[in-house]
């Protein structure tokens, strides 16, 4: 029994396209991630260092809940581990770190409400916009076979 190589290639392309179609986050995911990261960065920037673990524990539990809800709704968990998706993920992390450093530097200079506003006004939109960019790049990588 012979198999047609073109049919096999078409089946592979279809499987990749189907996998890429599954790699779509629920509508609520990026807003929730942005709010969670913003709240965490506010906690780190505004609380005394000795209370750090009281900020870290709820963040970890909330992040675990967010990941669990994502996996339950989509059936998969996708990481941006290669190419442009990874590069955009690094950009997002750099934004988070830069905002945290700025907020910690400003926390004794300005009212805490302004620190919170700085964090939320930067991190929430960054999560919303770059999250979708990372998602599109991840889908592209899956379709083109660049993702692991």
């Amino acid at each position: 029994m012979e198999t047609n190589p073109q049919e096999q290639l078409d089946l592979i392309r279809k499987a990749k396209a189907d996998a890429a179609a599954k790699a779509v986050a629920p509508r609520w995911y990026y807003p929730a991630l942005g709010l969670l990261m913003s709240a965490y960065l506010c906690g780190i920037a505004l609380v005394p260092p000795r209370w750090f673990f009281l900020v870290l524990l709820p963040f970890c539990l909330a992040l675990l809940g967010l990941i669990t809800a994502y996996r339950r709704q989509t059936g998969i968990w996708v990481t941006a581990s290669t190419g442009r998706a990874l590069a955009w993920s690094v950009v997002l992390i750099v934004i988070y770190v830069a905002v945290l450093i700025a907020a910690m530097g400003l926390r004794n200079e300005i009212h805490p409400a302004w620190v919170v506003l700085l964090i939320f006004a930067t991190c929430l939109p960054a999560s919303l916009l770059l999250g979708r960019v990372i998602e599109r790049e991840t889908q592209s990588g899956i379709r083109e076979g660049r993702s692991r």
Side-chain angles (χ1 to χ4, degrees):
M1 180 173 156
E2 282 188 42
T3 57
N4 182 342
Q6 186 59 45
E7 287 176 7
Q8 290 177 341
L9 289 173
D10 290 342
L11 287 172
I12 291 170
R13 276 190 217 100
K14 183 180 178 337
K16 287 179 181 179
D18 290 345
K22 283 186 173 183
V24 176
R27 294 177 69 95
W28 52 263
Y29 179 74
Y30 293 111
L33 178 63
L35 290 172
L36 179 60
M37 286 303 301
S38 296
Y40 176 61
L41 295 176
C42 284
I44 292 175
L46 296 175
V47 302
R50 67 178 173 263
W51 298 106
F52 172 73
F53 287 107
L54 291 178
V55 174
L56 182 62
L57 182 61
F59 170 75
C60 289
L61 292 173
L63 189 59
L64 181 62
L66 186 64
I67 291 168
T68 302
Y70 179 103
R71 288 185 80 175
R72 188 174 296 133
Q73 186 164 347
T74 63
I76 61 171
W77 178 252
V78 179
T79 58
S81 59
T82 60
R84 292 182 300 248
L86 179 59
W88 281 111
S89 297
V90 170
V91 169
L92 184 58
I93 291 168
V94 167
I95 290 170
Y96 289 154
V97 171
V99 169
L100 177 61
I101 290 169
M104 291 179 81
L106 292 172
R107 70 179 171 191
N108 294 326
E109 306 298 324
I110 61 175
H111 193 276
W114 289 110
V115 174
V116 170
L117 182 62
L118 165 73
I119 291 171
F120 273 86
T122 307
C123 293
L124 186 56
S127 295
L128 293 171
L129 296 173
L130 292 180
R132 291 293 177 196
V133 170
I134 293 164
E135 182 177 283
R136 281 193 306 273
E137 292 298 338
T138 300
Q139 289 175 313
S140 173
I142 292 169
R143 276 190 299 275
E144 295 170 9
R146 290 181 279 121
S147 294
R148 292 179 228 154

